[in-house]
């Protein structure tokens, strides 16, 4: 029997179809894959701590100690934070009549006196009726059985999501427990001629990524504290919440400053009215925060971990938001840090080629 070679067209067609089917299956399994991805990222972040402790004790004990320390820290933080946040949320809810009064007396009157637009007058007691009308308009239930079906479906989705959330710590434990063995397996899979170079690039990416993440987390905590302390000293009742949110949102460049500044100005208008002294103090507080971030925190804690200019940082954030929404904004800078390392090595390789040095041309430009 004569073995006939496979036509190249059908070989390529098979490869393309296999890739499309694989991508489609990955898309269908997204709810299952996401917990594994989250667990892998958490294991990557916790591994340095576990690795240090595992020098003195068994690795599984080190993992439990890290888990227990993080859990205890979160419990203590919430123990202190929840009562304070609850008090400030109550204060924020009490601002609702002030917001409506400001809207009716300032915004609505301005439109009446300066334009033809006639905005409706709002009252606090009308909010419940508006909410009921909205529910009836957007959530129509034919009968009680359909309503129960909707509730049951929502409950099942909640149970499934809660189950996946509970699964993440378990998956993280197994990732951490066999971390070194997995790295060794991946290392053995690299072709021998390229092993040293690939490992060197991976280690450089790891150093850049870990340095950026550690520095950025410290910047977020310290910047949030700077904003919160200043706003509390000014006397803004929602200063703690606004400062914390601004610090957390500073993970995305310029987002924390924008959210915190706008929220603080609005809260100041509702609490103190159009008081230029308090408005000036709030503007000064955010200018101090920006100066501290730009000239103290980032140079000392981040330095040049990414190596990107401000223009490229803005582009990376906008590109991440365009591709993956809010998640894209969060991962834009860490991904950019890794891509920057890869691009440097790729550019160095390009400079070493004969084409760059002028010794050889591409076939497209060869003179015949």
């Amino acid at each position: 029997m004569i073995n006939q070679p496979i036509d190249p067209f059908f070989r390529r067609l098979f490869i393309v179809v296999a890739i499309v089917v694989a991508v489609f299956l990955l898309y269908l399994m997204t709810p299952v894959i996401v917990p594994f991805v989250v667990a892998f990222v958490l294991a990557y972040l916790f591994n340095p701590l576990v690795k240090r402790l595992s020098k003195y004790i068994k690795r599984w004990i080190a993992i439990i100690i890290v888990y227990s320390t993080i859990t205890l820290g979160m419990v203590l933080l919430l123990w202190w934070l929840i009562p304070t946040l609850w008090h400030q949320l109550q204060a924020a809810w009490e601002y609702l009549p002030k917001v409506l009064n400001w809207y009716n007396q300032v915004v609505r009157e301005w439109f009446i006196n300066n334009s033809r637009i006639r905005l409706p007058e709002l009252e606090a007691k009308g909010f419940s009726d508006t909410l009921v009308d909205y529910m009836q308009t957007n959530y129509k239930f034919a009968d009680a059985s359909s309503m129960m079906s909707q509730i049951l479906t929502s409950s099942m989705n909640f149970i499934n999501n809660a189950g996946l959330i509970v699964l993440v710590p378990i998956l993280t434990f197994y990732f951490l427990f066999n971390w070194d063995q997995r790295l060794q397996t991946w290392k053995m899979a690299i072709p021998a001629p390229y092993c040293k170079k690939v490992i060197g690039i991976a280690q450089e990416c790891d150093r850049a990524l870990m340095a950026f993440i550690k520095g950025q987390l410290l910047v977020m905590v310290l910047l949030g504290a700077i904003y919160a302390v200043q706003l509390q000293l000014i006397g803004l009742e929602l200063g703690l919440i606004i400062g914390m949110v601004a610090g957390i949102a500073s993970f995305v460049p310029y987002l924390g400053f924008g959210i915190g500044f706008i929220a603080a100005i609005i809260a100041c208008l509702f609490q103190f009215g159009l008081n230029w002294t308090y408005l000036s103090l709030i503007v000064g507080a955010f200018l101090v925060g920006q100066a501290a971030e730009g000239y103290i925190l980032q140079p000392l804690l981040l330095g040049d971990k990414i190596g990107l200019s401000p223009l490229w940082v803005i582009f990376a954030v906008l590109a991440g938001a365009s591709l993956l929404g809010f998640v894209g904004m969060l991962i834009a800078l860490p991904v950019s840090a890794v891509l920057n390392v890869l691009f440097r090595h790729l550019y160095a390789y390009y400079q070493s080629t004969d084409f760059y040095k002028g010794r050889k041309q591409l076939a497209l430009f060869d003179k015949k």
Side-chain angles (χ1 to χ4, degrees):
M1 185 176 181
I2 301 176
N3 292 328
Q4 295 182 350
I6 301 176
D7 189 283
F9 170 78
F10 290 104
R11 183 186 294 112
R12 294 166 187 163
L13 180 62
F14 174 77
I15 294 173
V16 171
V17 171
I19 293 175
V20 171
V21 171
V23 171
F24 181 69
L25 290 176
L26 288 175
Y27 172 76
L28 294 179
M29 292 190 298
T30 299
V32 178
I33 295 174
V34 167
F36 284 84
V37 174
V38 174
F40 177 81
V41 172
L42 292 176
Y44 172 75
L45 295 176
F46 296 156
N47 183 64
L49 294 174
V50 174
K51 190 173 183 179
R52 289 183 183 180
L53 290 175
S54 61
K55 295 179 181 178
Y56 311 102
I57 55 179
K58 292 184 178 181
R59 191 171 179 87
W60 66 271
I61 299 178
I63 297 173
I64 293 177
I65 291 176
V66 170
Y67 269 41
S68 302
T69 304
I70 294 174
T71 303
L72 179 62
M74 293 181 63
V75 169
L76 293 176
L77 179 63
L78 293 175
W79 184 271
W80 167 78
L81 199 58
I82 287 178
T84 305
L85 289 178
W86 179 251
H87 172 72
Q88 297 213 342
L89 287 174
Q90 286 180 322
W93 180 254
E94 292 175 358
Y95 281 140
L96 180 59
K98 297 181 180 180
V99 173
L100 297 179
N101 185 55
W102 178 76
Y103 164 80
N104 291 325
Q105 295 185 1
V106 179
V107 177
R108 184 169 175 271
E109 289 296 327
W110 186 90
F111 275 96
I112 291 175
N113 297 328
N114 296 278
S115 69
R116 297 181 179 179
I117 300 175
R118 295 295 181 264
L119 296 176
E121 185 176 359
L122 296 180
E123 297 181 4
K125 63 180 182 180
F127 264 64
S128 58
D129 297 335
T130 304
L131 180 61
V132 171
D133 293 339
Y134 176 82
M135 294 294 293
Q136 291 177 348
T137 303
N138 295 276
Y139 300 93
K140 296 179 180 179
F141 301 104
D143 49 30
S145 61
S146 64
M147 182 176 178
M148 291 302 297
S149 177
Q150 292 284 345
I151 294 175
L152 182 60
T153 302
S154 301
S155 301
M156 292 303 297
N157 291 333
F158 175 79
I159 292 173
N160 291 334
N161 293 330
L164 293 177
I165 292 174
V166 173
L167 187 62
V168 168
I170 300 174
L171 296 175
T172 304
F173 179 88
Y174 284 110
F175 273 124
L176 284 170
F177 188 74
N178 296 317
W179 188 267
D180 293 333
Q181 292 87 335
R182 287 190 174 86
L183 287 183
Q184 187 63 26
T185 301
W186 296 342
K187 179 180 177 181
M188 296 300 295
I190 302 173
Y194 309 104
C195 184
K196 184 177 180 180
K197 186 66 175 178
V198 171
I199 292 177
I201 295 175
Q203 290 175 343
E204 190 174 343
C205 291
D206 175 66
R207 288 193 295 269
L209 191 58
M210 289 302 298
F212 169 74
I213 291 175
K214 292 177 182 177
Q216 186 63 53
L217 289 176
L218 285 175
V219 169
M220 290 165 55
V221 172
L222 294 177
L223 189 61
I226 290 173
Y227 284 139
V229 169
Q230 289 186 104
L231 295 177
Q232 287 291 102
L233 290 176
I234 291 172
L236 197 65
E237 295 184 5
L238 301 179
L240 180 61
I241 292 179
I242 294 174
M244 290 175 53
V245 171
I248 295 172
S250 65
F251 188 85
V252 179
Y254 314 110
L255 181 64
F257 172 80
I259 291 177
F261 181 75
I262 294 173
I265 292 295
I266 294 174
C268 178
L269 290 174
F270 293 149
Q271 182 175 346
F272 304 111
L274 193 60
N275 189 312
W276 293 106
T277 301
Y278 284 103
L279 290 174
S280 301
L281 289 174
I282 289 175
V283 171
F286 278 88
L287 290 178
V288 170
Q290 281 296 100
E293 180 184 11
Y295 295 103
I296 300 176
L297 298 179
Q298 286 191 350
L300 291 178
L301 300 176
L302 283 175
D304 192 19
K305 307 303 182 185
I306 304 180
L308 298 177
S309 67
L311 290 176
W312 279 110
V313 169
I314 296 174
F315 173 80
V317 172
L318 293 178
S322 177
L323 294 174
L324 297 174
F326 183 72
V327 176
M329 294 176 66
L330 293 179
I331 67 175
L333 292 185
V335 171
S336 298
V338 174
L339 291 179
N340 186 50
V341 173
L342 298 178
F343 177 78
R344 287 205 307 268
H345 284 275
L346 181 62
Y347 186 69
Y349 170 75
Y350 164 70
Q351 288 182 314
S352 66
T353 60
D354 291 336
F355 173 73
Y356 174 79
K357 297 176 180 178
R359 300 172 185 171
K360 184 179 180 182
Q361 289 186 332
L362 296 176
L364 180 62
F365 302 104
D366 284 341
K367 297 180 180 179
K368 297 183 180 179

